C-alpha cells in the first residue's frame, strides 16, 4: 500500500504504464528484486504522492515486466524518478535491461 492517506482529486491523478524489457535470463531476478528488495517497489510505495503500484510478468514473452502506477500528481512521479537517479538505482539494475524502459502516461478518460 502506498503512503498517500489522503485521496487526491480524481482530476489530478496520473496513471503510468512502465514496460521493462529485461534480459530473459535475468527477468525473474529483476522481478523478485522489485517485489522484495527495500529499494524495489517498496521505495515507490513509500513516496509522497504514490497511490498504487502493481507489477506483473508478461506471459507472452520471457523478457517483459509491466508496472502500472498511479500518482497524485505528475510532479510526485517526476520527484520519484529523480530520487531513483540520485541514489544510483538505474546504475545498479541497468545491466539487466535488454532495452531502455518505456514510460507511457495514460489518459484520465477510461471505459
Amino acid at each position: 500500500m502506498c503512503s498517500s492517506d489522503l485521496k487526491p482529486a480524481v482530476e489530478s491523478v496520473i496513471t503510468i504504464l512502465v514496460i521493462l524489457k529485461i534480459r530473459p535470463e535475468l527477468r525473474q531476478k529483476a522481478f523478485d528484486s522489485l517485489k522484495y528488495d527495500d529499494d524495489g517497489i517498496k521505495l515507490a510505495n513509500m513516496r509522497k504522492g504514490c497511490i498504487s503500484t502493481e507489477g506483473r510478468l508478461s506471459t507472452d514473452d520471457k523478457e517483459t515486466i509491466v508496472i502500472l502506477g498511479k500518482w497524485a500528481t505528475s510532479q510526485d512521479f517526476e520527484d520519484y524518478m529523480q530520487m531513483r537517479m540520485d541514489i544510483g538505482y538505474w546504475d545498479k539494475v541497468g545491466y539487466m535491461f535488454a532495452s531502455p524502459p518505456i514510460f507511457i502516461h495514460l489518459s484520465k478518460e477510461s471505459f
Side-chain angles (χ1 to χ4, degrees), residues 37-70:
D37 291 355
D38 288 338
D39 65 351
I41 208 67
K42 291 176 190 177
L43 195 55
N45 292 339
M46 294 187 312
R47 291 295 293 189
K48 174 187 174 284
C50 178
I51 297 168
S52 66
T53 57
E54 183 176 349
R56 301 287 176 104
L57 294 170
S58 170
T59 58
D60 292 332
D61 65 43
K62 296 187 182 301
E63 62 181 17
T64 304
I65 298 173
V66 177
I67 302 169
L68 186 65
K70 291 190 178 190

Side-chain angles (χ1 to χ4, degrees), residues 8-36:
V10 173
E11 298 81 36
S12 68
V13 172
I14 65 162
T15 303
I16 300 176
L17 179 68
V18 183
I19 301 172
L20 305 175
K21 294 291 188 176
I22 305 294
R23 293 176 26 208
E25 68 275 15
L26 296 173
R27 184 175 77 154
Q28 190 62 52
K29 178 180 180 175
F31 184 84
D32 291 345
S33 177
L34 283 165
K35 186 174 181 178
Y36 298 116

